[in-house]
Amino acid sequence: MPRDAVGILLVSGDPYLQEEAKRIVAAAGGSLRTALDVADAVHGWDTADVVLVGSDIRELPPRRRAPTVLLGKASESDGLWRLAAALGAERVAVLPEAAAWLAEHLSMSGSPDPGGAVMGIIGGSGGAGATTTAIWLAQAAAGHGVSTVLIDGDRWGGGLELAVTADEIPGLRWPDFAETRGSIDPSQFRDSLPMAGGFAYLSWPGTRESVQIPAADAVAAVVDAARRSFELILVDIGRSGEGLGTLAWDCDRILLLTMAHLKSAVAAARVLNELPPVDAGLLVRGTGTTSVDAPLIADTLGLPLLGVLPEMRGVAAGTELGRLLELGRRKPVRRFASSVLELNGATQ
């Protein structure tokens, strides 16, 4: 619990959201003030530590910071993400399912340490190489002494662990968190994960068996634990609506990866429209013989170009054999990853 009670402002005229917020804030040890509408909230907006906005609020007061969390009901969850994007909300809490996560989030809001940085990676089209890139970035960060965890955000991807290593490394996978309720101890979380290439990773199992799927509040608890356990959290978001609707919203920054082809760039533009309102940058894979160059793609998408991933021979075979970490030690890959992550002492 924080030393001082967190000042929380709720802006909502919905009785259900008001009661849920009152109960959750009490559990978090915070101090709640409720405003029925935007006009009533103006004077306390900027002085509150946390601003919660109900789904009944459709516009914000002028020149005020974006709300911290958008609250909504399970019955309206499909529209909550669009509303959150329009309002610029940092997080979405679907109640009552996300009550435990929200209480933990509010408790942590009083801490002076915001935790590690969460960076998401998503492919603009299928086969762009987002998983490969995420692995190499995690490997590079760990090689520079940054405590790093790589999170597999695509349960339809076959299991990130199969590309990381050919060995069966003991540790927890996503299904092991299916029964999680409330917060996760950061030390226990860090120690429970498998490691390869100097970084920890949380993967979906690379097996054919059916598995339990963690609920949204369990996923949020995992991300919060990762923030408190590691300096850098890399998330391979995946291109499913599930990943875009949950893990993408926990990211502080998102890297959009596209191939240097017209069709891939067009697909990337569509993915960009679905991303939450967070800082984003562009990675481009392969140049030379392609007809579209990286700066042109970046200019068209309106994103800063953060790096160009060189084409590497043996990537497909390395993925199948769990040997991507061997390729990640090559000089062009290390130079690319160090530049993207702005690591000191980048390999020349």
Side-chain angles (χ1 to χ4, degrees):
M1 297 295 291
R3 289 189 298 270
D4 300 317
V6 180
I8 301 166
L9 171 66
L10 169 67
V11 187
S12 177
D14 187 302
Y16 172 76
L17 296 180
Q18 290 176 359
E19 287 302 314
E20 283 291 292
K22 186 184 301 183
R23 178 176 62 84
I24 293 168
V25 170
S31 173
L32 179 67
R33 180 201 161 209
T34 300
L36 299 180
D37 53 34
V38 168
D40 187 30
V42 169
H43 297 298
W45 192 287
D46 288 333
T47 58
D49 295 312
V50 176
V51 177
L52 308 177
V53 171
S55 56
D56 55 311
I57 303 300
R58 299 290 164 162
E59 60 181 18
L60 304 181
R63 297 181 297 278
R64 295 298 191 275
R65 76 179 194 269
T68 309
V69 182
L70 173 69
L71 305 184
K73 308 169 189 175
S75 60
E76 56 188 2
S77 59
D78 290 342
L80 287 177
W81 309 109
R82 291 190 294 272
L83 178 58
L87 297 178
E90 299 174 13
R91 301 285 189 272
V92 175
V94 182
L95 301 177
E97 289 85 351
W101 169 81
L102 182 57
E104 177 69 14
H105 182 74
L106 295 177
S107 295
M108 292 177 59
S109 296
S111 171
D113 182 8
V118 181
M119 179 180 292
I121 303 168
I122 186 169
S125 61
T131 298
T132 298
T133 303
I135 292 171
W136 285 343
L137 291 179
Q139 183 180 15
H144 280 77
V146 179
S147 62
T148 303
V149 62
L150 175 58
I151 295 179
D152 184 358
D154 183 10
R155 66 184 177 97
W156 305 107
L160 177 147
E161 63 182 357
L162 295 180
V164 171
T165 177
D167 300 324
E168 293 186 10
I169 301 178
L172 299 185
R173 271 65 175 174
W174 267 117
D176 295 309
F177 295 95
E179 302 299 326
T180 296
R181 299 292 183 271
S183 62
I184 302 172
D185 180 85
S187 298
Q188 293 181 355
F189 176 76
R190 182 180 59 249
D191 295 340
S192 72
L193 299 179
M195 292 193 67
F199 60 90
Y201 61 90
L202 176 60
S203 176
W204 287 98
T207 63
R208 297 176 56 184
E209 287 77 16
S210 60
V211 296
Q212 284 187 288
I213 311 300
D217 57 343
V219 173
V222 165
V223 176
D224 280 339
R227 278 189 184 272
R228 290 179 288 151
S229 307
F230 298 91
E231 295 173 288
L232 177 63
I233 302 92
L234 288 164
V235 182
D236 180 13
I237 297 173
R239 300 181 68 251
S240 68
E242 182 180 26
L244 285 169
T246 53
L247 286 169
W249 285 83
D250 287 310
C251 295
D252 302 309
R253 192 179 204 189
I254 293 180
L255 306 180
L256 177 61
L257 173 66
T258 179
M259 292 183 285
H261 300 285
L262 178 61
K263 184 177 180 181
S264 180
V266 171
R270 294 175 179 169
V271 172
L272 181 61
N273 291 333
E274 300 298 320
L275 296 182
V278 300
D279 182 34
L282 183 69
L283 304 178
V284 176
R285 172 184 157 198
T287 56
T289 59
T290 54
S291 59
V292 185
D293 65 13
L296 178 59
I297 296 174
D299 185 62
T300 302
L301 295 177
L303 293 176
L305 179 61
L306 302 181
V308 176
L309 179 65
E311 289 288 357
M312 301 283 295
R313 296 180 60 182
V315 172
T319 302
E320 288 296 312
L321 298 174
R323 300 175 62 179
L324 284 180
L325 294 178
E326 296 180 19
L327 298 177
R329 289 192 284 268
R330 294 183 180 178
K331 189 173 181 179
V333 175
R334 289 186 289 128
R335 183 187 301 118
F336 160 79
S338 296
S339 175
V340 171
L341 295 174
E342 299 179 342
L343 297 169
N344 294 329
T347 304
Q348 300 298 319

